[in-house]
Amino acid sequence: AAAFNVSTVAFAGSFTPLFGESNVFRSPDDRSLQIHLNQYTGSGFRSSNLYDHGFFSSKIKLPSPDYTAGIVVAFYLTNGDMFRAHDELDFEFLGNVRGKPWSFQTNMYGNGSTSRGREERYHLWFDPSHELHSYSILWTTKKIIFFVDDVPIREITKKVEMGGDFPAKPMALYATVWDASSWATSGGKYKVNYKYAPFVVEFSDLVLHGCISDPLEEVVGTAPQNSCDDVGDIADIKPKQRAAMNKFRLTYMYYCYCYHDLRYSTPLPECVIDAAEKRLFSESGEVSVQERQRRQRRWKKAA
């Protein structure tokens, strides 16, 4: 939060349990909490209000990497509880088998555009189960930026051609941990093993920096017309940050929908095809075999 000059909030008054309340454990000072997944239930929480754009963040520590196959930890904005044609911006952390690192993906849906998935998937330059790291989503009327710590890892700039695919309706912030054995690890090959339960996710430094919105006022046209894009200079990616983003994407991104030629013969309108990036990917949108082998050699040498 300090890196972006925004204030953190306590749980009370800002958030409420979503499900599995018996597995939600708040700290005595109410500034941090844990959510658990065990053989009985997962758990989660959500913001008490919806927001019309803003900056949303938390420090998160993922469960121990001993065995996390089948687990999904999600940190995301959505209005799916209110609108059938929902909007969504998300981080999804995907568990793995012993010896394999956590991976994660970001995604964007606007106005129910689930048939046009905009997933990107990545590895990290650190172990996310070792200590807390910041994960942040900036959402304005013109762009969306995902951050890990103070590094922007993905920038989506709104284009007219995107139409309703760019999220525009008020959203709440959610965080969940749940059993996704059917798909999360190797397409469902590896399931959650509750021998290693409980799977514990830690959160602290929660940020809700945006304009609170009343959807009813939005519908009847009585909502105040104040700007919710007052996020200081967070949206302005500095040259040093952009260099860090480019390095991250060239090194750690292993799937990109913009390069999935078999899925989209014509890239979606917001895609900016980077020649250096594209050379790393096959027509399935995944890192090519040669690039995967090169990265493995480099990582082994670094280890």
Side-chain angles (χ1 to χ4, degrees):
F4 296 101
N5 194 30
V6 291
S7 300
T8 62
V9 297
F11 190 90
S14 299
F15 294 95
T16 184
L18 178 65
F19 69 101
E21 189 167 356
S22 62
N23 276 356
V24 178
F25 301 91
R26 292 156 60 177
S27 66
D29 66 359
D30 214 30
R31 309 297 293 194
S32 61
L33 72 154
Q34 294 180 350
I35 58 175
H36 292 197
L37 167 66
N38 58 25
Q39 61 267 42
Y40 304 108
T41 183
S43 54
F45 61 94
R46 59 158 287 172
S47 62
S48 303
N49 296 301
L50 287 90
Y51 293 84
D52 189 5
H53 304 95
F55 180 77
F56 309 89
S57 182
S58 180
K59 287 185 176 179
I60 304 173
K61 180 182 176 184
L62 298 178
S64 166
D66 283 345
Y67 186 94
T68 55
I71 296 172
V72 169
V73 176
F75 181 71
Y76 59 109
L77 293 162
T78 189
N79 47 37
D81 290 344
M82 298 193 60
F83 301 101
R84 179 174 297 178
H86 80 288
D87 305 298
E88 186 171 320
L89 295 169
D90 56 38
F91 280 100
E92 284 188 328
F93 302 92
L94 309 177
N96 220 325
V97 296
R98 185 189 300 274
K100 298 290 185 180
W102 280 87
S103 60
F104 74 104
Q105 65 182 23
T106 61
N107 207 346
M108 177 190 81
Y109 297 120
N111 204 35
S113 59
T114 53
S115 64
R116 294 178 293 281
R118 289 171 158 91
E119 306 95 335
E120 290 185 353
R121 299 191 187 105
Y122 330 82
H123 295 297
L124 287 161
W125 64 93
F126 55 83
D127 181 348
S129 69
H130 183 64
E131 58 187 3
L132 292 158
H133 286 268
S134 293
Y135 303 89
S136 310
I137 302 170
L138 173 73
W139 170 42
T140 77
T141 56
K142 297 179 180 178
K143 69 168 59 177
I144 294 158
I145 305 175
F146 294 87
F147 294 86
V148 176
D149 292 330
D150 60 351
V151 177
I153 63 163
R154 180 178 183 182
E155 178 184 34
I156 304 169
T157 300
K158 183 179 180 179
K159 293 185 177 180
V160 174
E161 296 83 0
M162 296 173 70
D165 283 9
F166 193 90
K169 299 185 291 293
M171 294 191 280
L173 180 66
Y174 291 75
T176 56
V177 58
W178 48 289
D179 185 329
S181 291
S182 62
W183 66 270
T185 307
S186 299
K189 179 179 179 181
Y190 300 100
K191 316 295 185 184
V192 174
N193 186 340
Y194 287 104
K195 166 185 162 183
Y196 298 97
F199 301 99
V200 178
V201 190
E202 298 181 27
F203 295 84
S204 72
D205 290 12
L206 290 152
V207 174
L208 296 169
H209 185 78
C211 289
I212 295 174
S213 176
D214 184 333
L216 180 59
E217 290 182 347
E218 296 278 345
V219 170
V220 300
T222 59
Q225 298 302 306
N226 57 319
S227 172
C228 289
D229 283 3
D230 182 17
V231 291
D233 63 353
I234 299 173
D236 298 324
I237 298 179
K238 310 297 188 296
K240 187 175 180 180
Q241 285 181 304
R242 190 164 295 281
M245 179 170 71
N246 292 340
K247 180 179 179 181
F248 171 85
R249 295 176 66 81
L250 287 170
T251 307
Y252 297 105
M253 183 168 66
Y254 68 90
Y255 172 83
C256 179
Y257 73 102
C258 286
Y259 303 129
H260 194 157
D261 298 336
L262 299 178
R263 185 180 188 184
Y264 300 115
S265 56
T266 301
L268 294 181
E270 74 280 1
C271 288
V272 177
I273 303 303
D274 182 291
E277 277 187 3
K278 185 171 177 59
R279 284 196 294 270
L280 306 178
F281 293 86
S282 67
E283 61 184 1
S284 66
E286 296 184 344
V287 166
S288 66
V289 173
Q290 295 85 350
E291 173 62 14
R292 192 178 303 121
Q293 292 172 343
R294 188 182 71 83
R295 291 183 182 183
Q296 288 173 349
R297 288 195 298 269
R298 187 175 66 247
W299 292 338
K300 286 180 179 179
K301 185 177 180 180

